[in-house]
Amino acid sequence: MADTLLQVKDISVKIEEKQVLNGVNLNVGAGETHVLMGPNGAGKSTLGYTLMGNPRYTVTGGKILFDGEDITELGTDKRAAKGMFLSFQAPLEVPGITLESFIRNALQQTTGERVKLFQFQKQLKATMELLHMNDTYASRDLNVGFSGGERKKSEILQLLMLNPKLAILDETDSGLDVDAVRTVSQGIQEYQKRQNGALIIITHSAKILESLHVDYTHVLVKGKIVKTGDGTLVDDISAKGFEQFEG
């Protein structure tokens, strides 16, 4: 296994008074791609938000280590600065700040360094071309008036520009047509080519995984990981569904 980047140790989580995760364990090595699958309501997105430090989710047991450091109590901004990234299932509109400004500010916040404008804009344009995004979107308010596909491309654009150590992609393929899935998948493949970039892809569908290399697949049912395998487990789930794990 690659050098361990993320360790989730016996994490239990509740939302308000509802217990959602029950003793989840997960190790992710640098450069690895892990897929988290399961039926609706299994706790997949809850795990993603918990890893990123969303205050709505209360850790009731266990701990999270990132790069060997206990981050269980750290805020979202500090986790981002350490190299963690979460894409949202339903990206929000942010009026008043352009897509370009948002990414540039995020880069400065996470790296702590001043971003040189010319070099940044050159890289941004090249990355937008890779994702088949019209470069006029850079000057538009973040996600305002964007289609579902353009919002997801915007998330992958942020992923490629920020280049985090660990990216958590929550239902990135949800609601996308075939062409948009293909483009988003190409963006994820580009991230996979980068040295030591790790991925956790949360999904209940296999369509975005068809052209991606998958190291480990985990099945989450009722707040617990009940099965772990390699990429072939995705094919098994596609053929037989999740019912085989729900007994």
Side-chain angles (χ1 to χ4, degrees), residues 11-15 18-23 46-47 50 57-61:
I11 279 289
S12 295
V13 175
K14 69 177 182 179
I15 304 174
K18 182 181 179 181
Q19 196 73 30
V20 181
L21 298 180
N22 301 286
T46 294
L47 180 57
T50 300
Y57 301 83
T58 303
V59 175
T60 58

Side-chain angles (χ1 to χ4, degrees), residues 142-193:
L142 180 62
N143 293 329
V144 175
F146 287 23
S147 68
E150 294 298 342
R151 290 188 184 204
K152 296 300 178 75
K153 289 180 185 180
S154 168
E155 294 274 282
I156 300 302
L157 176 66
Q158 294 166 45
L159 165 67
L160 294 176
M161 291 296 295
L162 295 173
N163 197 27
K165 294 179 182 178
L166 171 67
I168 305 160
L169 308 183
D170 185 15
E171 303 283 5
T172 302
D173 52 346
S174 177
L176 299 185
D177 61 27
V178 173
D179 289 338
V181 168
R182 186 179 300 113
T183 299
V184 167
S185 183
Q186 288 173 349
I188 298 172
Q189 282 180 295
E190 181 65 26
Y191 175 78
Q192 284 184 316
K193 295 176 185 176

